[in-house]
């Protein structure tokens, strides 16, 4: 891989992760806003502290941390940060797949019926969004590994 394509890959990974970091900031801010200004009830009766605001704060924080690792790992060409970014994306992808499987295996009544009707009426959109998220995660992981391998080759060629 040439040096120009390596620089392109480095900056593409940086700018996409910067965009995701800003999105994580917005999600975090919206979660804090909901937590402070709106007293929305718990998502589950047996977990009263799990509100929409708390979930958005957790998701926004995770997105910000992962995107920060991707930004700094790519722009500084730091192998440790790139591998941490890759591992966290892999864990998130595996958690998403596990959650999807658990939703299909453990069907509950009551709220499940409403959720099932909503999923059936929006199945196409949910499928498109899910596929796009998975593709973006796999591309991020492959870009991080490619950049990581190129850092190895570049440092070996200059004798570091």
């Amino acid at each position: 891989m040439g040096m120009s394509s390596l620089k392109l890959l480095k900056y593409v990974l940086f700018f996409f992760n910067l965009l995701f970091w800003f999105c994580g900031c917005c999600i975090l801010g919206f979660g804090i806003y909901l937590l402070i200004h709106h007293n929305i009830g718990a998502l589950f009766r047996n977990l009263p502290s799990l509100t929409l605001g708390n979930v958005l704060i957790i998701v926004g924080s995770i997105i910000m941390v992962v995107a920060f690792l991707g930004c700094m790992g790519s722009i500084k060409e730091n192998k440790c940060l790139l591998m941490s970014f890759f591992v966290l994306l892999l864990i998130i992808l595996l958690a998403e797949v596990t959650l999807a499987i658990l939703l299909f295996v453990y069907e509950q009544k009551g709220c499940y019926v409403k959720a099932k009707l909503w999923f059936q009426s929006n199945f196409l959109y949910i499928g498109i969004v899910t596929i796009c998220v998975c593709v973006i995660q796999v591309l991020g992981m492959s870009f991080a590994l490619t950049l990581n391998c190129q850092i190895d080759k570049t440092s070996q060629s200059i004798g570091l």
Side-chain angles (χ1 to χ4, degrees):
M1 182 178 279
M3 290 303 286
S4 61
S5 57
L6 178 63
K7 284 190 182 264
L8 176 69
L9 180 67
K10 172 181 167 177
Y11 289 113
V12 164
L13 190 61
F14 172 77
F15 284 117
F16 273 110
N17 278 298
L18 186 63
L19 175 69
F20 293 136
W21 186 82
F22 283 128
C23 290
C25 288
C26 292
I27 292 171
L28 178 66
F30 188 63
I32 292 170
Y33 172 79
L34 284 178
L35 199 61
I36 292 172
H37 294 293
H38 297 288
N39 193 6
I40 299 175
L43 296 176
F44 300 105
R45 288 183 186 147
N46 49 349
L47 295 171
S49 63
L50 189 63
T51 63
L52 182 60
N54 288 341
V55 169
L56 289 177
I57 288 172
I58 292 168
V59 169
S61 299
I62 290 171
I63 291 172
M64 285 177 60
V65 168
V66 172
F68 177 77
L69 290 174
C71 276
M72 294 307 293
S74 64
I75 203 70
K76 296 289 187 182
E77 296 183 7
N78 187 314
K79 293 178 49 135
C80 181
L81 292 176
L82 284 171
M83 286 310 293
S84 299
F85 172 71
F86 172 80
V87 168
L88 285 175
L89 274 182
L90 182 63
I91 290 170
I92 291 170
L93 185 65
L94 292 175
E96 289 170 353
V97 170
T98 304
L99 182 64
I101 291 170
L102 287 175
L103 284 175
F104 285 115
V105 171
Y106 295 108
E107 300 174 1
Q108 295 178 356
K109 301 297 177 188
C111 183
Y112 173 74
V113 175
K114 292 179 185 177
K116 184 176 180 181
L117 288 174
W118 184 80
F119 276 114
Q120 286 175 346
S121 64
N122 298 309
F123 186 73
L124 179 65
Y125 302 119
I126 293 169
I128 290 171
V129 168
T130 303
I131 290 170
C132 289
V133 167
C134 289
V135 166
I136 288 170
Q137 285 177 322
V138 170
L139 282 175
M141 290 187 306
S142 62
F143 284 1
L145 280 183
T146 304
L147 189 58
N148 190 16
C149 291
Q150 292 304 316
I151 291 169
D152 275 345
K153 289 180 182 177
T154 305
S155 62
Q156 287 175 356
S157 68
I158 60 174
L160 293 177

